[in-house]
Amino acid sequence: MGSYSKAWVDGPFELVSPEKTGDKKEKRATGARRLAAEMTLVHNCIIRGINAVYLQCVNVSKRGTAEDKLDFANFASQWAEFVNEHHTIEETSIFPGIGEITSVPGLMDGNVDEHKAFHDGLEQYVEYLEKVKKNEETFDGEKLKSIIDGFMPTLRTHLANEIDTLLLLTEYEDKVDWMEWFDKQVGEKIGAMMKNAEYRTNIFPIAIIFHDKTYYDGVWANFPPIPWLFALALRWLYMNKHKNWWRFAGCDYTSHPKELPFA
């Protein structure tokens, strides 16, 4: 990222290091290691997202207008939608598929158990923001920050642990090309969801505005893997619908770092 005077979304919750995947510009990883590297990118989108919420929520409640607070509540809510959608795909498609391919049913059950460990805290986060959006409760940044403190350490640990589990799939490289299989599974799921206009405008943008193309010297600059023409349409047709939400993000529409307005 660039050099900014304000705090940025690479903290306070630490990003998951991609080092152990071995995916580098000079030598790209393959198979399970490449799968783990791509999952690291998604997990770091999640972490950058909650860092943006955490770093700005108090100042939004102190200095923001009523419109700022509502926009921010929507922004923070969409982060949770992104997390829930990600974990639903894992639990209904990716994890069962891994068990079937490896002939080790339940191989990924530990990760599902970890999902359950932060579920209640994430639900509390969602419920609070829904009340704010419905004007049933005044937006209080300190309260939101406290809710995040209640579940995020557990979620952060899970996001790192899951990468370790995926790296164990190197033991089963003879069964399948893991990256090819993963791309097919995720591509089919996201392709189906992209037919929904609300998904295009409300959820998928998170993968754009919280992926830092400059991270690790830009080795993953082509993430997310979507055709350039569709990416252009997404940025200028769909993302602009809620541009007032996305202004709180850590990256712009081209996935390059920008300052946080309320940090």
Side-chain angles (χ1 to χ4, degrees):
M1 62 159 286
S3 178
Y4 297 133
S5 58
K6 299 178 180 179
W8 196 65
V9 295
D10 48 3
F13 299 105
E14 186 180 0
L15 299 178
V16 177
S17 172
E19 287 285 347
K20 62 182 68 175
T21 70
D23 195 20
K24 299 178 180 179
K25 249 185 177 180
E26 59 271 19
K27 187 178 181 181
R28 301 310 306 268
T30 59
R33 289 189 173 277
R34 186 65 175 269
L35 187 164
E38 188 151 315
M39 191 66 81
T40 301
L41 303 185
V42 178
H43 287 187
N44 282 340
C45 284
I46 290 171
I47 295 170
R48 291 188 189 101
I50 199 62
N51 281 338
V53 176
Y54 195 87
L55 290 169
Q56 298 180 94
C57 59
V58 173
N59 285 339
V60 169
S61 66
K62 287 181 178 178
R63 306 198 317 254
T65 64
E67 183 179 4
D68 290 332
K69 293 171 185 177
L70 180 58
D71 287 340
F72 188 79
N74 277 296
F75 168 76
S77 290
Q78 293 314 128
W79 172 84
E81 290 288 337
F82 181 81
V83 173
N84 284 327
E85 174 257 318
H86 172 67
H87 288 149
T88 296
I89 291 176
E90 287 184 330
E91 292 183 14
T92 60
S93 178
I94 303 302
F95 293 169
I98 288 173
E100 184 176 336
I101 291 168
T102 60
S103 299
V104 185
L107 180 62
M108 305 298 287
D109 282 358
N111 294 281
V112 176
D113 290 340
E114 288 186 354
H115 290 178
K116 295 174 183 175
F118 57 79
H119 176 270
D120 289 351
L122 186 58
E123 281 299 299
Q124 184 184 4
Y125 172 94
V126 170
E127 289 169 5
Y128 172 67
L129 289 169
E130 285 302 310
K131 289 179 180 178
V132 171
K133 290 190 292 182
K134 293 176 181 177
N135 206 27
E136 294 175 358
E137 193 161 340
T138 301
F139 180 68
D140 181 342
E142 292 289 358
K143 180 172 182 176
L144 184 60
K145 195 172 184 180
S146 177
I147 292 171
I148 295 169
D149 281 331
F151 72 84
M152 192 55 209
T154 304
L155 174 52
R156 167 58 181 76
T157 297
H158 159 69
L159 295 174
N161 288 348
E162 188 172 288
I163 303 306
D164 292 335
T165 307
L166 292 173
L167 286 171
L168 295 177
L169 298 180
T170 54
E171 298 178 18
Y172 305 93
E173 297 281 12
D174 60 319
K175 304 281 188 181
V176 70
D177 182 324
W178 286 110
M179 193 62 225
E180 183 179 307
W181 172 81
F182 180 73
D183 278 347
K184 183 175 185 294
Q185 298 299 310
V186 174
E188 288 176 355
K189 293 288 183 183
I190 293 181
M193 290 186 291
M194 278 292 192
K195 295 176 182 178
N196 184 315
E198 188 170 318
Y199 180 82
R200 295 194 299 267
T201 59
N202 294 19
I203 300 177
F204 191 78
I206 296 291
I208 304 290
I209 59 176
F210 285 115
H211 173 59
D212 175 9
K213 283 192 173 185
T214 69
Y215 188 58
Y216 270 74
D217 197 30
V219 63
W220 301 288
N222 291 328
F223 180 87
I226 54 177
W228 73 269
L229 190 59
F230 179 75
L232 189 65
L234 181 70
R235 288 165 186 151
W236 301 114
L237 293 178
Y238 302 118
M239 292 181 71
N240 275 337
K241 180 177 180 180
H242 296 307
K243 62 183 179 181
N244 288 343
W245 300 358
W246 311 138
R247 62 190 165 115
F248 301 102
C251 294
D252 61 22
Y253 285 10
T254 65
S255 300
H256 286 84
K258 70 176 186 64
E259 286 196 356
L260 301 174
F262 281 88

